Amino acid sequence: MAKWGEGDPRWIVEERADATNVNNWHWTERDVSSWSSEHLRKLLLSVRVEGPEGVCQVTDINKLDGEASINNRKGKLFFFYEWQLRANWLGTASSGVKYRGTVDVSNLSDENDEDDLDISVSLCKDQPSTPLLDLMKRAGIKEVRRALGEYVRQLKSEFSQGMILPTTDGPKQPPPETAKKNQVKTNKTQISATTKCTSSPSPKSSPSPAPCPTGVHIPTCSFNLRETFQTSADELYRTFINQEFVQVFTRSVAVVDGRRGGKFQLLDGSVSGEFTQLVPDQRIEMRWRFKTWPSEHYATVSLELQDRGDETELKMECHGVPAGEEDSTREGWTRFYFQAIKQTFGY
């Protein structure tokens, strides 16, 4: 996933000159698909079994579809991978006759343990029956399973090095001055947006320290976004208010009560709010906040859905965002909601 509010020190890993992570709890991602593809090929091509029947050896990989990534959130690593593969094997019987076959794996993913992998072996259609097939089923599958397990172990133990960087002050977060200094606004996205700054009060103060003072009038901004999804309005509506859907596209545990007055919390509690109005398949209104905003300060967000046959146009209006937060909030909605939904569900 992309980084919410690129340049905002609360959302991504910021490195100082000494290569330290200033907070060590932000979200960052490393794409390891290319490394995984190369490593899986290398491990599978090393698979070789021998028995009284003869010798079998994996010779090439003719299908390797999928992706893999490593994510760091709040100093914890999360591994996401999903692969489907097919390999060819060549067997030489004790008599010297050669046979060809295939190995298929359909569910190599972070959701399955090594013992749960579905691995099947077979002979090519033009090949006669041979005891070598039994050898592959008996010993070959075990070796393939071992190789795939080794891929996962090396992914977690070796390739994750450097994903969690040391902090300069232990678990403590930087003081407000540091956070402000590190905050860098990024180029605006290609999505059409308008911004309007006003001044509004934060509802009430909090006795605990906060990044911004509460109980005072703070300048706020508004912006609009427009996006098109290749799905129906009812499907898109359900994607925003259904807990299971939200957990899938955010890749994290979420609490979503999809009713008027229902509350939601996602992205490890970084985002929370309440649904204030729900018009099925047409409109969603909510009170929405990011946890570092002034205590109890919420923006108002409305999502209007217009069904256009084979696609749905979404119009978003967001009001009451603290000034200085509009870029990261707009970027966050674009990446963590809209782009994430499209990439996850193919909308």
Side-chain angles (χ1 to χ4, degrees), residues 281-327:
D281 310 336
Q282 298 179 30
R283 188 176 183 84
I284 300 171
E285 295 184 4
M286 67 186 85
R287 298 171 67 239
W288 186 99
R289 65 174 271 105
F290 185 62
K291 69 178 181 181
T292 60
W293 288 3
S295 179
E296 295 301 317
H297 181 84
Y298 289 81
T300 58
V301 175
S302 67
L303 306 175
E304 181 179 341
L305 312 180
Q306 296 185 353
D307 197 329
R308 301 190 181 282
D310 58 349
E311 64 181 26
T312 299
E313 183 180 45
L314 182 150
K315 296 180 180 179
M316 173 188 175
E317 294 184 3
C318 185
H319 302 280
V321 176
E325 302 286 338
E326 64 270 21
D327 283 348

Short mmCIF file of all heavy atoms in Angstrom, two decimals, residues 281-327:
data_model
loop_
_atom_site.label_atom_id
_atom_site.label_comp_id
_atom_site.label_asym_id
_atom_site.label_seq_id
_atom_site.Cartn_x
_atom_site.Cartn_y
_atom_site.Cartn_z
N ASP A 281 -27.01 2.82 -1.06
CA ASP A 281 -26.59 2.86 -2.46
C ASP A 281 -26.52 4.28 -3.04
O ASP A 281 -26.27 4.44 -4.23
CB ASP A 281 -27.51 2.01 -3.35
CG ASP A 281 -27.73 0.62 -2.80
OD1 ASP A 281 -26.87 0.15 -2.02
OD2 ASP A 281 -28.75 0.00 -3.14
N GLN A 282 -26.71 5.31 -2.20
CA GLN A 282 -26.71 6.68 -2.72
C GLN A 282 -25.79 7.64 -1.98
O GLN A 282 -25.06 8.40 -2.59
CB GLN A 282 -28.13 7.26 -2.69
CG GLN A 282 -29.13 6.52 -3.56
CD GLN A 282 -30.51 7.13 -3.47
OE1 GLN A 282 -30.68 8.34 -3.26
NE2 GLN A 282 -31.54 6.30 -3.62
N ARG A 283 -25.80 7.57 -0.64
CA ARG A 283 -25.07 8.60 0.10
C ARG A 283 -24.62 8.08 1.46
O ARG A 283 -25.35 7.36 2.15
CB ARG A 283 -25.96 9.84 0.29
CG ARG A 283 -25.26 11.05 0.88
CD ARG A 283 -26.20 12.25 0.92
NE ARG A 283 -25.55 13.44 1.42
CZ ARG A 283 -24.83 14.27 0.69
NH1 ARG A 283 -24.68 14.03 -0.60
NH2 ARG A 283 -24.26 15.34 1.22
N ILE A 284 -23.40 8.48 1.85
CA ILE A 284 -22.85 8.16 3.16
C ILE A 284 -22.31 9.45 3.77
O ILE A 284 -21.52 10.16 3.14
CB ILE A 284 -21.69 7.14 3.06
CG1 ILE A 284 -22.18 5.83 2.43
CG2 ILE A 284 -21.07 6.87 4.43
CD1 ILE A 284 -21.05 4.86 2.10
N GLU A 285 -22.76 9.77 4.97
CA GLU A 285 -22.24 10.93 5.68
C GLU A 285 -21.66 10.47 7.00
O GLU A 285 -22.20 9.56 7.64
CB GLU A 285 -23.33 11.98 5.91
CG GLU A 285 -23.86 12.59 4.62
CD GLU A 285 -24.87 13.69 4.87
OE1 GLU A 285 -25.10 14.03 6.06
OE2 GLU A 285 -25.42 14.22 3.89
N MET A 286 -20.57 11.11 7.41
CA MET A 286 -19.88 10.66 8.63
C MET A 286 -19.12 11.81 9.30
O MET A 286 -18.77 12.81 8.65
CB MET A 286 -18.91 9.53 8.28
CG MET A 286 -17.73 9.96 7.41
SD MET A 286 -16.69 8.57 6.87
CE MET A 286 -17.59 8.02 5.41
N ARG A 287 -18.90 11.62 10.59
CA ARG A 287 -17.93 12.43 11.32
C ARG A 287 -16.64 11.63 11.31
O ARG A 287 -16.63 10.45 11.65
CB ARG A 287 -18.41 12.68 12.76
CG ARG A 287 -19.71 13.44 12.85
CD ARG A 287 -20.25 13.46 14.27
NE ARG A 287 -19.41 14.23 15.18
CZ ARG A 287 -18.83 13.73 16.27
NH1 ARG A 287 -18.99 12.45 16.59
NH2 ARG A 287 -18.09 14.49 17.05
N TRP A 288 -15.53 12.25 10.92
CA TRP A 288 -14.29 11.52 10.64
C TRP A 288 -13.12 12.29 11.25
O TRP A 288 -13.04 13.51 11.16
CB TRP A 288 -14.13 11.39 9.12
CG TRP A 288 -13.00 10.55 8.64
CD1 TRP A 288 -13.06 9.26 8.22
CD2 TRP A 288 -11.63 10.96 8.46
NE1 TRP A 288 -11.82 8.82 7.81
CE2 TRP A 288 -10.92 9.84 7.94
CE3 TRP A 288 -10.92 12.14 8.70
CZ2 TRP A 288 -9.56 9.87 7.65
CZ3 TRP A 288 -9.56 12.18 8.41
CH2 TRP A 288 -8.90 11.05 7.90
N ARG A 289 -12.19 11.55 11.88
CA ARG A 289 -11.02 12.21 12.43
C ARG A 289 -9.79 11.31 12.36
O ARG A 289 -9.89 10.07 12.31
CB ARG A 289 -11.24 12.62 13.89
CG ARG A 289 -11.42 11.48 14.86
CD ARG A 289 -11.49 11.96 16.32
NE ARG A 289 -10.18 12.04 16.95
CZ ARG A 289 -9.52 13.16 17.20
NH1 ARG A 289 -10.06 14.32 16.90
NH2 ARG A 289 -8.34 13.12 17.77
N PHE A 290 -8.65 11.97 12.36
CA PHE A 290 -7.37 11.32 12.49
C PHE A 290 -6.91 11.53 13.93
O PHE A 290 -7.12 12.60 14.51
CB PHE A 290 -6.36 11.92 11.50
CG PHE A 290 -5.03 11.22 11.50
CD1 PHE A 290 -4.94 9.89 11.15
CD2 PHE A 290 -3.88 11.89 11.87
CE1 PHE A 290 -3.71 9.24 11.15
CE2 PHE A 290 -2.66 11.26 11.88
CZ PHE A 290 -2.57 9.93 11.52
N LYS A 291 -6.32 10.51 14.54
CA LYS A 291 -6.13 10.52 15.99
C LYS A 291 -5.20 11.62 16.52
O LYS A 291 -5.26 11.95 17.70
CB LYS A 291 -5.61 9.17 16.46
CG LYS A 291 -4.20 8.83 16.05
CD LYS A 291 -3.80 7.48 16.63
CE LYS A 291 -2.39 7.10 16.26
NZ LYS A 291 -2.02 5.78 16.82
N THR A 292 -4.36 12.22 15.68
CA THR A 292 -3.49 13.29 16.18
C THR A 292 -4.11 14.67 16.04
O THR A 292 -3.47 15.67 16.39
CB THR A 292 -2.13 13.26 15.45
OG1 THR A 292 -2.35 13.45 14.05
CG2 THR A 292 -1.41 11.95 15.70
N TRP A 293 -5.34 14.73 15.54
CA TRP A 293 -6.02 16.02 15.49
C TRP A 293 -6.38 16.45 16.92
O TRP A 293 -6.36 15.63 17.84
CB TRP A 293 -7.30 15.90 14.67
CG TRP A 293 -7.05 15.77 13.19
CD1 TRP A 293 -5.85 15.69 12.55
CD2 TRP A 293 -8.06 15.68 12.18
NE1 TRP A 293 -6.04 15.56 11.20
CE2 TRP A 293 -7.39 15.56 10.94
CE3 TRP A 293 -9.45 15.70 12.19
CZ2 TRP A 293 -8.06 15.45 9.74
CZ3 TRP A 293 -10.13 15.60 10.99
CH2 TRP A 293 -9.45 15.47 9.78
N PRO A 294 -6.72 17.73 17.11
CA PRO A 294 -7.15 18.19 18.45
C PRO A 294 -8.25 17.29 19.00
O PRO A 294 -9.12 16.82 18.27
CB PRO A 294 -7.66 19.61 18.19
CG PRO A 294 -6.85 20.07 17.01
CD PRO A 294 -6.68 18.85 16.15
N SER A 295 -8.21 17.05 20.29
CA SER A 295 -9.13 16.13 20.93
C SER A 295 -10.59 16.44 20.59
O SER A 295 -11.03 17.58 20.67
CB SER A 295 -8.93 16.19 22.45
OG SER A 295 -9.82 15.33 23.12
N GLU A 296 -11.32 15.38 20.16
CA GLU A 296 -12.74 15.46 19.84
C GLU A 296 -13.05 16.34 18.64
O GLU A 296 -14.21 16.69 18.41
CB GLU A 296 -13.54 15.95 21.05
CG GLU A 296 -13.52 15.01 22.24
CD GLU A 296 -14.09 13.63 21.89
OE1 GLU A 296 -15.12 13.58 21.20
OE2 GLU A 296 -13.48 12.63 22.28
N HIS A 297 -12.05 16.69 17.86
CA HIS A 297 -12.31 17.47 16.65
C HIS A 297 -12.54 16.51 15.49
O HIS A 297 -11.71 15.66 15.20
CB HIS A 297 -11.16 18.43 16.33
CG HIS A 297 -11.42 19.24 15.10
ND1 HIS A 297 -12.15 20.40 15.12
CD2 HIS A 297 -11.09 19.03 13.79
CE1 HIS A 297 -12.24 20.88 13.90
NE2 HIS A 297 -11.61 20.07 13.07
N TYR A 298 -13.66 16.68 14.80
CA TYR A 298 -14.02 15.82 13.68
C TYR A 298 -14.26 16.65 12.42
O TYR A 298 -14.78 17.78 12.50
CB TYR A 298 -15.30 15.03 13.97
CG TYR A 298 -15.14 13.94 14.99
CD1 TYR A 298 -15.17 14.24 16.36
CD2 TYR A 298 -14.97 12.62 14.61
CE1 TYR A 298 -15.04 13.24 17.31
CE2 TYR A 298 -14.83 11.61 15.55
CZ TYR A 298 -14.86 11.93 16.90
OH TYR A 298 -14.72 10.93 17.83
N ALA A 299 -13.89 16.10 11.30
CA ALA A 299 -14.30 16.66 10.01
C ALA A 299 -15.63 16.01 9.64
O ALA A 299 -15.99 14.95 10.14
CB ALA A 299 -13.25 16.38 8.95
N THR A 300 -16.38 16.66 8.77
CA THR A 300 -17.60 16.06 8.23
C THR A 300 -17.33 15.64 6.80
O THR A 300 -16.84 16.43 5.99
CB THR A 300 -18.78 17.04 8.28
OG1 THR A 300 -18.45 18.22 7.52
CG2 THR A 300 -19.09 17.44 9.70
N VAL A 301 -17.64 14.39 6.51
CA VAL A 301 -17.37 13.82 5.19
C VAL A 301 -18.67 13.29 4.60
O VAL A 301 -19.44 12.61 5.28
CB VAL A 301 -16.34 12.66 5.28
CG1 VAL A 301 -16.15 11.99 3.92
CG2 VAL A 301 -15.01 13.17 5.81
N SER A 302 -18.92 13.62 3.35
CA SER A 302 -20.07 13.06 2.64
C SER A 302 -19.60 12.41 1.35
O SER A 302 -18.75 12.96 0.64
CB SER A 302 -21.11 14.15 2.33
OG SER A 302 -20.60 15.08 1.40
N LEU A 303 -20.12 11.22 1.08
CA LEU A 303 -19.81 10.48 -0.13
C LEU A 303 -21.11 10.29 -0.91
O LEU A 303 -22.03 9.62 -0.44
CB LEU A 303 -19.20 9.12 0.20
CG LEU A 303 -17.97 9.12 1.10
CD1 LEU A 303 -17.55 7.68 1.42
CD2 LEU A 303 -16.81 9.88 0.47
N GLU A 304 -21.20 10.88 -2.07
CA GLU A 304 -22.39 10.76 -2.90
C GLU A 304 -22.09 9.81 -4.05
O GLU A 304 -21.11 10.00 -4.79
CB GLU A 304 -22.81 12.13 -3.43
CG GLU A 304 -24.08 12.10 -4.28
CD GLU A 304 -24.48 13.47 -4.77
OE1 GLU A 304 -24.02 14.48 -4.19
OE2 GLU A 304 -25.26 13.54 -5.74
N LEU A 305 -22.91 8.80 -4.22
CA LEU A 305 -22.71 7.78 -5.24
C LEU A 305 -23.72 7.95 -6.36
O LEU A 305 -24.93 8.01 -6.10
CB LEU A 305 -22.84 6.37 -4.63
CG LEU A 305 -22.07 6.10 -3.33
CD1 LEU A 305 -22.30 4.67 -2.88
CD2 LEU A 305 -20.58 6.38 -3.52
N GLN A 306 -23.25 8.01 -7.59
CA GLN A 306 -24.13 8.13 -8.75
C GLN A 306 -23.89 6.94 -9.67
O GLN A 306 -22.81 6.79 -10.25
CB GLN A 306 -23.87 9.44 -9.48
CG GLN A 306 -24.20 10.68 -8.66
CD GLN A 306 -24.05 11.97 -9.44
OE1 GLN A 306 -23.56 11.98 -10.57
NE2 GLN A 306 -24.47 13.07 -8.85
N ASP A 307 -24.88 6.08 -9.78
CA ASP A 307 -24.79 4.88 -10.61
C ASP A 307 -24.91 5.27 -12.08
O ASP A 307 -25.89 5.89 -12.49
CB ASP A 307 -25.90 3.90 -10.24
CG ASP A 307 -25.62 2.49 -10.75
OD1 ASP A 307 -24.98 2.37 -11.81
OD2 ASP A 307 -26.04 1.52 -10.09
N ARG A 308 -23.90 4.93 -12.86
CA ARG A 308 -23.89 5.25 -14.29
C ARG A 308 -23.83 3.98 -15.14
O ARG A 308 -23.09 3.89 -16.12
CB ARG A 308 -22.73 6.18 -14.61
CG ARG A 308 -22.77 7.49 -13.82
CD ARG A 308 -21.76 8.49 -14.32
NE ARG A 308 -21.77 9.73 -13.58
CZ ARG A 308 -22.66 10.70 -13.74
NH1 ARG A 308 -23.63 10.55 -14.64
NH2 ARG A 308 -22.59 11.81 -13.03
N GLY A 309 -24.58 2.97 -14.72
CA GLY A 309 -24.63 1.73 -15.48
C GLY A 309 -23.54 0.78 -15.08
O GLY A 309 -23.63 0.12 -14.05
N ASP A 310 -22.46 0.73 -15.86
CA ASP A 310 -21.37 -0.19 -15.56
C ASP A 310 -20.29 0.45 -14.70
O ASP A 310 -19.24 -0.14 -14.46
CB ASP A 310 -20.73 -0.71 -16.85
CG ASP A 310 -20.21 0.41 -17.74
OD1 ASP A 310 -20.54 1.59 -17.45
OD2 ASP A 310 -19.50 0.11 -18.73
N GLU A 311 -20.53 1.66 -14.21
CA GLU A 311 -19.59 2.32 -13.32
C GLU A 311 -20.33 3.24 -12.37
O GLU A 311 -21.51 3.56 -12.56
CB GLU A 311 -18.54 3.11 -14.12
CG GLU A 311 -19.10 4.26 -14.91
CD GLU A 311 -18.04 5.00 -15.70
OE1 GLU A 311 -17.02 4.39 -16.04
OE2 GLU A 311 -18.25 6.21 -15.98
N THR A 312 -19.63 3.64 -11.31
CA THR A 312 -20.23 4.53 -10.30
C THR A 312 -19.31 5.71 -10.07
O THR A 312 -18.11 5.54 -9.85
CB THR A 312 -20.46 3.79 -8.97
OG1 THR A 312 -21.36 2.70 -9.19
CG2 THR A 312 -21.05 4.73 -7.93
N GLU A 313 -19.88 6.91 -10.14
CA GLU A 313 -19.12 8.12 -9.85
C GLU A 313 -19.30 8.48 -8.38
O GLU A 313 -20.43 8.53 -7.89
CB GLU A 313 -19.55 9.27 -10.74
CG GLU A 313 -18.71 10.53 -10.51
CD GLU A 313 -19.14 11.68 -11.39
OE1 GLU A 313 -20.37 11.91 -11.50
OE2 GLU A 313 -18.27 12.35 -11.96
N LEU A 314 -18.20 8.70 -7.68
CA LEU A 314 -18.23 9.09 -6.27
C LEU A 314 -17.79 10.55 -6.15
O LEU A 314 -16.74 10.94 -6.65
CB LEU A 314 -17.32 8.19 -5.44
CG LEU A 314 -17.28 8.44 -3.92
CD1 LEU A 314 -16.99 7.14 -3.19
CD2 LEU A 314 -16.19 9.47 -3.56
N LYS A 315 -18.63 11.35 -5.48
CA LYS A 315 -18.29 12.73 -5.18
C LYS A 315 -18.12 12.86 -3.68
O LYS A 315 -19.03 12.54 -2.92
CB LYS A 315 -19.39 13.68 -5.67
CG LYS A 315 -19.57 13.68 -7.18
CD LYS A 315 -20.69 14.64 -7.59
CE LYS A 315 -20.88 14.65 -9.09
NZ LYS A 315 -21.99 15.56 -9.50
N MET A 316 -16.96 13.32 -3.26
CA MET A 316 -16.66 13.45 -1.84
C MET A 316 -16.53 14.92 -1.46
O MET A 316 -15.88 15.70 -2.15
CB MET A 316 -15.35 12.72 -1.50
CG MET A 316 -14.87 12.95 -0.08
SD MET A 316 -13.22 12.27 0.20
CE MET A 316 -12.91 12.82 1.87
N GLU A 317 -17.16 15.30 -0.35
CA GLU A 317 -16.99 16.62 0.24
C GLU A 317 -16.48 16.45 1.66
O GLU A 317 -17.03 15.65 2.42
CB GLU A 317 -18.31 17.40 0.25
CG GLU A 317 -18.83 17.74 -1.14
CD GLU A 317 -20.09 18.59 -1.09
OE1 GLU A 317 -20.52 18.93 0.05
OE2 GLU A 317 -20.65 18.90 -2.14
N CYS A 318 -15.44 17.16 1.99
CA CYS A 318 -14.84 17.05 3.33
C CYS A 318 -14.68 18.46 3.90
O CYS A 318 -14.02 19.31 3.28
CB CYS A 318 -13.49 16.33 3.26
SG CYS A 318 -12.74 16.01 4.86
N HIS A 319 -15.29 18.70 5.06
CA HIS A 319 -15.25 20.01 5.70
C HIS A 319 -14.71 19.88 7.12
O HIS A 319 -14.94 18.87 7.79
CB HIS A 319 -16.64 20.62 5.75
CG HIS A 319 -17.31 20.77 4.42
ND1 HIS A 319 -17.04 21.80 3.55
CD2 HIS A 319 -18.24 20.00 3.81
CE1 HIS A 319 -17.76 21.67 2.46
NE2 HIS A 319 -18.50 20.57 2.58
N GLY A 320 -13.98 20.90 7.55
CA GLY A 320 -13.53 20.95 8.94
C GLY A 320 -12.19 20.30 9.20
O GLY A 320 -11.86 19.97 10.35
N VAL A 321 -11.38 20.12 8.16
CA VAL A 321 -10.05 19.55 8.35
C VAL A 321 -9.12 20.63 8.91
O VAL A 321 -9.07 21.74 8.36
CB VAL A 321 -9.48 19.03 7.02
CG1 VAL A 321 -8.05 18.53 7.19
CG2 VAL A 321 -10.38 17.93 6.46
N PRO A 322 -8.39 20.36 9.98
CA PRO A 322 -7.47 21.38 10.52
C PRO A 322 -6.52 21.89 9.45
O PRO A 322 -5.98 21.12 8.66
CB PRO A 322 -6.72 20.62 11.62
CG PRO A 322 -7.66 19.55 12.05
CD PRO A 322 -8.38 19.13 10.80
N ALA A 323 -6.33 23.21 9.42
CA ALA A 323 -5.43 23.80 8.44
C ALA A 323 -4.04 23.19 8.58
O ALA A 323 -3.56 22.94 9.69
CB ALA A 323 -5.36 25.31 8.65
N GLY A 324 -3.41 22.93 7.47
CA GLY A 324 -2.11 22.27 7.47
C GLY A 324 -2.23 20.76 7.34
O GLY A 324 -1.24 20.08 7.10
N GLU A 325 -3.47 20.24 7.48
CA GLU A 325 -3.69 18.81 7.36
C GLU A 325 -4.41 18.44 6.06
O GLU A 325 -4.64 17.27 5.78
CB GLU A 325 -4.55 18.31 8.54
CG GLU A 325 -3.97 18.58 9.91
CD GLU A 325 -2.80 17.67 10.22
OE1 GLU A 325 -2.70 16.60 9.61
OE2 GLU A 325 -1.98 18.04 11.08
N GLU A 326 -4.77 19.45 5.28
CA GLU A 326 -5.59 19.16 4.10
C GLU A 326 -4.87 18.30 3.07
O GLU A 326 -5.46 17.39 2.47
CB GLU A 326 -6.12 20.45 3.45
CG GLU A 326 -5.06 21.38 2.89
CD GLU A 326 -4.57 22.38 3.92
OE1 GLU A 326 -4.73 22.12 5.13
OE2 GLU A 326 -4.01 23.41 3.51
N ASP A 327 -3.58 18.55 2.85
CA ASP A 327 -2.85 17.77 1.84
C ASP A 327 -2.76 16.30 2.24
O ASP A 327 -3.01 15.40 1.44
CB ASP A 327 -1.44 18.34 1.63
CG ASP A 327 -1.44 19.60 0.78
OD1 ASP A 327 -2.49 19.89 0.18
OD2 ASP A 327 -0.41 20.27 0.72
#
